[in-house]
Amino acid sequence: MFLTITTTGNAEHPATDLGFLLHKHPEKAQAFSTSFGTAHVLYPEAEEQRCTAALLLEVDPVALVRRGKGKGRGGAPDAALAQYVNDRPYAASSLLAVALSNVFSSAMRGVCKAHPERAARPLPLRVEIPALPARGGPDLVRRLFEPLGWAVAVEAVPLDTEFPEWGDSRYVRLVLESETLTLSDALRHLYVLLPVLDDAKHYWVAPDEVDKLLRAGEGWLPGHPEQKLITSRYLSRRWSLTREAMDRLELIRLAETDDSEVEEIDNAVEAEAEQEAKPTPLAVQRREAILTALRDRAAARVLDLGCGEGQLVRELLKEPRFTEIVGVDVSVRALTIASRRLKLDRMGERQAARVRLFQGSLAYTDKRLTGYDAAVLSEVIEHLDLPRLPALEYAVFGAARPRTVVVTTPNVEYNVRWETLPAGHVRHRDHRFEWTREEFRTWARAVAERHGYDVEFRPVGPDDPEVGPPTQLALFTLDTPAGTATEKEAKAA
């Protein structure tokens, strides 16, 4: 995946000033890591009269598939061969657009402390892209770039030069030339229009993509004749985001027409009324879902298995209904932090009698865990290697056997909604796996059947109609046959 940016100059304004504008020295070949490969910047030529900077993006499609494990943005399980044999390493796409933004971020903003006057002045520019997917063909390429002041030379790439009767592919060779644009203008045009021509993005389009589009499109997108097509394709045809972007672009156009600020036009609603409540953090929603489950089962004596730094223990202590709370973790450091945060050394005698913290491994049976109403495994199982899950299962469900067990774990299907999460990555570097809803339910039902529990499933967080909630919760209840006393009830009798 490759593009070049060339400019010309003279003794007064040497072409090598391009290195200052791009913040990349012409005498160095530099490499930059991305979540999908390595971006290289080098200069095939750097003379006073002519200077060319090249961006070479080395994409590793195999690594993308392996990280994605065939699911979500990292792969396509229904097209196994296409995961490995595709155009991503060769054709300009949203991968190249993101690399442009990352590698030339200062140049895209028009920032150059060494030569600010050069950054603000138009340059003679020539941009060459040897392989560009263009859904719409050469005609669409011209319709997108020519209104922006580019002279466009575009050539369709045939499917096979040996068989011209097969026609053209969806790829083109593109050369853009202009003497009226700044380098910042050029980079912002490419950043938006490369994925528009490809009509695809390699990551989930989140609401903040509207802000990215408007920032990159400032000064040119509001008046572009193909504004609607650009907006729709850039936002992956998500109609709600497209409508929001179009409304904001119309406000910008009206403000420019009226020679006023957007805020002066968009003043129908008071600023205070526009402020929305901040969304509740997922960790808080998770703890509330756990507390609700424990209340529903009238649990009083609760184990927090894998208690970490004691956040859930602290919430349990706030409710008198939980008369005994035990936090267990394998990490001594985590237990020390939990003790300090809970202020156990300064806690009143009655309150201190309700809580205990001790070290223990969930891979082994432990007599100290028996006899409790409920146990919580919150975001714990995904930190274990899959072969060790049976040991945890027996220690909790087979040996300790609390009346209720609450298990929460991430829903990997929801990961596509995290725009900052690179394709195929898990949410935390220590996660050994993350399950789909079906995988989690299959495991939970099998555990329940083996150990005599009933199980129900609850969503935690916003329940997306396509990919489900960000966290999934399983609520296990010990299935005691009618007319049979539990061990506790038998002792009381």
Side-chain angles (χ1 to χ4, degrees):
M1 195 182 296
F2 186 74
L3 71 76
T4 60
I5 302 172
T6 301
T7 189
T8 56
N10 50 44
E12 183 180 0
H13 298 296
T16 49
D17 282 353
L18 182 64
F20 289 105
L21 300 180
L22 292 174
H23 298 259
K24 304 292 180 287
H25 200 290
E27 295 182 5
K28 297 179 180 179
Q30 300 180 54
F32 304 86
S33 296
T34 72
S35 61
F36 42 79
T38 304
H40 302 269
V41 179
L42 57 149
Y43 287 78
E45 55 182 344
E47 304 293 338
E48 182 182 279
Q49 290 76 28
R50 184 179 171 92
C51 183
T52 298
L55 175 64
L56 172 65
L57 183 59
E58 189 178 11
V59 177
D60 186 353
V62 175
L64 281 177
V65 174
R66 287 175 176 169
R67 285 197 296 268
K69 299 180 182 179
K71 297 181 176 67
R73 294 172 293 171
D78 297 327
L81 182 60
Q83 295 180 77
Y84 296 94
V85 183
N86 52 59
D87 66 354
R88 283 180 290 183
Y90 314 107
S93 65
S94 63
L95 292 167
L96 186 59
V98 170
L100 274 172
S101 176
N102 292 344
V103 175
F104 299 137
S105 58
S106 296
M108 189 175 290
R109 297 195 308 272
V111 175
C112 179
K113 293 181 180 179
H115 293 285
E117 73 289 345
R118 285 287 271 167
R121 191 168 61 240
L123 297 176
L125 292 170
R126 178 183 174 91
V127 176
E128 297 184 53
I129 305 176
L132 172 65
R135 297 183 187 274
D139 178 63
L140 179 59
V141 177
R142 295 188 187 94
R143 283 160 44 203
L144 293 182
F145 283 101
E146 285 180 348
L148 301 174
W150 291 102
V152 180
V154 58
E155 176 188 357
V157 177
L159 281 170
D160 194 317
T161 55
E162 298 295 322
F163 300 94
E165 65 273 14
W166 288 3
D168 295 329
S169 69
R170 68 184 185 93
Y171 302 94
V172 299
R173 299 185 184 95
L174 177 63
V175 177
L176 302 171
E177 293 185 294
S178 175
E179 295 190 359
T180 63
L181 297 170
T182 66
L183 179 62
S184 172
D185 292 333
L187 293 173
R188 290 187 296 117
H189 295 167
L190 294 170
Y191 174 75
V192 172
L193 297 181
L194 292 183
V196 166
L197 283 166
D198 189 22
D199 199 12
K201 283 197 170 183
H202 68 282
Y203 58 87
W204 173 255
V205 175
D208 64 351
E209 289 291 299
V210 175
D211 294 324
K212 292 181 184 179
L213 173 62
L214 297 184
R215 282 197 299 269
E218 183 179 358
W220 64 269
L221 183 56
H224 198 291
E226 297 294 340
Q227 177 197 106
K228 186 173 182 180
L229 180 143
I230 293 170
T231 303
S232 176
R233 284 195 176 191
Y234 183 87
L235 297 171
S236 296
R237 304 180 191 275
R238 292 191 63 188
W239 68 268
S240 59
L241 299 184
T242 302
R243 183 177 61 185
E244 177 189 344
M246 293 297 292
D247 288 345
R248 291 170 63 178
L249 286 167
E250 179 62 15
L251 281 174
I252 294 170
R253 188 191 67 79
L254 290 172
E256 290 175 348
T257 302
D258 198 37
D259 195 22
S260 58
E261 297 295 326
V262 172
E263 291 76 10
E264 297 176 22
I265 300 291
D266 188 22
N267 60 0
V269 181
E270 293 292 335
E272 291 78 9
E274 290 180 349
Q275 294 179 356
E276 296 181 3
K278 292 183 179 180
T280 304
L282 181 58
V284 175
Q285 296 182 61
R286 186 185 303 122
R287 287 195 290 272
E288 184 53 43
I290 293 168
L291 290 170
T292 299
L294 295 174
R295 295 184 199 114
D296 291 346
R297 293 298 181 268
R301 304 175 67 240
V302 180
L303 296 166
D304 182 7
L305 304 177
C307 66
E309 297 174 6
Q311 291 92 338
L312 179 60
V313 172
R314 183 174 59 238
E315 296 302 313
L316 290 166
L317 279 168
K318 293 178 182 178
E319 300 194 25
R321 74 173 70 231
F322 302 116
T323 57
E324 185 177 350
I325 303 154
V326 176
V328 182
D329 204 283
V330 71
S331 168
V332 174
R333 180 173 180 273
L335 292 171
T336 301
I337 294 173
S339 177
R340 184 171 65 247
R341 290 185 174 177
L342 292 170
K343 301 178 181 178
L344 292 183
D345 57 337
R346 287 178 280 170
M347 192 175 286
E349 183 177 346
R350 181 176 297 180
Q351 188 81 329
R354 293 173 58 206
V355 60
R356 285 188 297 141
L357 302 177
F358 61 75
Q359 185 188 20
S361 171
L362 302 180
Y364 304 97
T365 59
D366 190 332
K367 292 182 179 179
R368 295 175 296 176
L369 304 182
T370 59
Y372 285 86
D373 298 328
V376 177
L377 291 160
S378 179
E379 310 300 286
V380 170
I381 60 172
E382 64 273 10
H383 292 272
L384 276 68
D385 293 317
L386 284 169
R388 302 189 69 184
L389 270 185
L392 176 144
E393 174 191 330
Y394 179 74
V396 176
F397 295 91
R401 291 189 68 75
R403 296 289 302 278
T404 297
V405 181
V406 183
V407 180
T408 72
T409 192
N411 168 23
V412 72
E413 296 169 79
Y414 195 89
N415 286 1
V416 297
R417 297 298 191 254
W418 307 115
E419 188 245 331
T420 56
L421 184 66
H425 284 220
V426 292
R427 297 184 199 177
H428 189 280
R429 63 181 180 273
D430 189 50
H431 286 187
R432 303 301 198 266
F433 62 88
E434 287 178 359
W435 274 336
T436 64
R437 287 168 290 174
E438 185 56 36
E439 288 170 332
F440 179 56
R441 292 181 180 190
T442 299
W443 173 82
R445 288 174 180 137
V447 169
E449 184 176 353
R450 281 192 290 267
H451 299 283
Y453 283 79
D454 292 326
V455 63
E456 67 174 272
F457 301 95
R458 300 180 179 183
V460 179
D463 197 355
D464 189 287
E466 295 180 359
V467 297
T471 297
Q472 41 195 341
L473 181 151
L475 178 57
F476 297 84
T477 305
L478 194 58
D479 183 16
T480 304
T484 302
T486 65
E487 181 181 353
K488 188 175 179 180
E489 291 167 342
K491 287 181 178 178

